Amino acid sequence: YTSDPQKLRRKIALAEFVVTCTSHNQEYLRNIAGDCTTPIYCIYHGIDLELFKNRLLRPDRRPGEEYQLLTVARITEKKGLPTVYRALALLRDKGIGFRHTLIGDGEDREKILSLIRELDLDNHCRCLGTQTHTEVLHHFRESDLFVLGCEIAKNGDRDGIPNVLVESLAMGVPALSTRVSAIPELLIDEETGLTVPPSDPAAMAGAMERLLFDGDLRNRLQEGGRSYVRARFDSSGSTRELGQIFRRHNPLLAAGPSTSGGSLP
C-alpha cells in the first residue's frame, strides 16, 4: 500500500504467481494487475496453534475486581493507539474499573506515554515494552479483552490481519478492533469478534463495555473465534496450501522424487 502501483504491476506481470495474506490484499492486487493473467492467491499467515493454547481458565471475578485489558502492538501510527486510550478514558469516566496493559515498543512511544498522562490514565494503564513469548502468553491468560485500534496511516500504510488478533482468538480472549483492511475477515462482527470504525473512541468504548458486561456475547465470541482460527488460521494448513501452489506451477516439484533416488525439497 506504500508501493508505487506501476512497479507492483510490473512485478506481478513478471511473476509466475503471486501470494498475499488476505482477501482484501488479493482484490487490491487484482485491480492493480488489470488484464494481466498472473494468478494471485490468498493464503492466510496462520499461527502455530500449539503455541497459543489457553490451558488455564481465568478464575471467577471477585466483587470490585478490575477488568484486565490487553494490547500487543508496535507503537506506531497504523496501530491506532490514541483511539484505544481515548476510549479507555471514556470507560474511566463511567466508573468502570480496569487495568490496561500495552506490550510493544516503537517510534511513537513517547507520544503515547504523553497522551496517557494528558488523559490522566496513569493509574489505569501500563506500558511494558517488548516482552518474551512466555510473558505475552501470561498476559493473554490474565486478560478479559484484547483491543487494537488499527487505522490507515497518513502514508497509506495499514495492517492486513495482525497476528496478535489471531493469537487472541486462539487463546479464547475476546477481541475488538476496527473495520480497516482485512481485519473483518478475521473478526466477523458478532460471530468471532467485534469491529468498530477507525478513529472513533466513543464506538470503541461502547464495544469494550459490551464485551466486558455481556456474558452471552463473550461466550459466543470465544467459541466462535477459537473455532474459526482452528479452521482458517492454522499455520500447518497454510504451509500445505503454499506447497500445493508451488507444485502446481513447477512441473519438477509436481513430479515428486527424482529418478536418481533423491527427493526434491
Side-chain angles (χ1 to χ4, degrees):
Y1 294 99
T2 59
S3 299
D4 178 358
Q6 294 293 336
K7 290 182 179 179
L8 281 178
R9 184 179 291 112
R10 289 197 294 272
K11 289 181 179 181
I12 292 169
L14 291 168
E16 189 79 21
F17 60 89
V18 175
V19 178
T20 186
C21 58
T22 72
S23 294
H24 187 275
N25 290 351
Q26 183 183 37
E27 185 63 25
Y28 176 76
L29 291 173
R30 281 175 173 165
N31 287 334
I32 285 177
D35 57 4
C36 174
T37 59
T38 301
I40 302 175
Y41 301 100
C42 169
I43 299 180
Y44 291 122
H45 284 155
I47 61 171
D48 184 346
L49 295 178
E50 290 300 313
L51 296 178
F52 293 93
K53 283 186 175 179
N54 195 348
R55 299 178 179 85
L56 301 175
L57 295 177
R58 199 176 189 285
D60 291 337
R61 178 174 305 285
R62 297 186 298 274
E65 183 181 358
E66 292 180 326
Y67 290 99
Q68 301 298 314
L69 281 59
L70 177 65
T71 299
V72 181
R74 183 179 165 210
I75 307 178
T76 191
E77 182 185 1
K78 69 178 180 179
K79 299 299 182 179
L81 294 176
T83 300
V84 172
Y85 285 104
R86 292 189 174 99
L88 292 173
L90 294 175
L91 288 190
R92 186 268 322 278
D93 292 345
K94 294 186 73 169
I96 298 172
F98 65 86
R99 179 78 160 170
H100 176 264
T101 299
L102 171 62
I103 295 175
D105 211 337
E107 61 269 26
D108 287 348
R109 177 180 174 84
E110 291 306 315
K111 184 185 300 184
I112 291 301
L113 292 177
S114 177
L115 178 62
I116 291 171
R117 292 190 293 269
E118 176 187 328
L119 295 170
D120 196 22
L121 285 171
D122 302 75
N123 293 331
H124 298 272
C125 300
R126 57 181 177 174
C127 300
L128 301 184
T130 303
Q131 301 283 292
T132 66
H133 175 74
T134 300
E135 289 164 335
V136 171
L137 288 180
H138 168 75
H139 286 287
F140 268 125
R141 294 189 182 106
E142 293 296 312
S143 296
D144 297 295
L145 170 63
F146 187 91
V147 58
L148 199 58
C150 299
E151 60 186 54
I152 298 174
K154 293 181 182 66
N155 68 351
D157 193 17
R158 69 204 71 181
D159 277 303
I161 297 177
N163 277 352
V164 288
L165 289 175
V166 183
E167 293 162 4
S168 178
L169 267 56
M171 294 288 291
V173 181
L176 162 65
S177 191
T178 57
R179 299 179 195 125
V180 164
S181 188
I183 290 172
E185 294 176 35
L186 172 70
L187 298 185
I188 302 170
D189 231 10
E190 306 286 339
E191 295 181 21
T192 64
L194 291 185
T195 57
V196 297
S199 305
D200 190 338
M204 178 160 282
M208 287 181 184
E209 191 171 352
R210 282 190 66 201
L211 281 166
L212 293 176
F213 290 104
D214 188 336
D216 291 339
L217 174 64
R218 287 180 59 81
N219 292 337
R220 183 170 76 248
L221 297 187
Q222 284 175 309
E223 182 56 37
R226 275 176 166 159
S227 298
Y228 194 69
V229 165
R230 283 196 297 267
R232 302 290 297 277
F233 290 87
D234 182 348
S235 60
S236 61
S238 301
T239 303
R240 285 193 297 272
E241 286 185 66
L242 188 58
Q244 289 166 2
I245 290 172
F246 271 97
R247 292 187 182 94
R248 192 178 309 154
H249 289 273
N250 189 318
L252 291 177
L253 290 176
S258 68
T259 54
S260 63
S263 59
L264 292 168

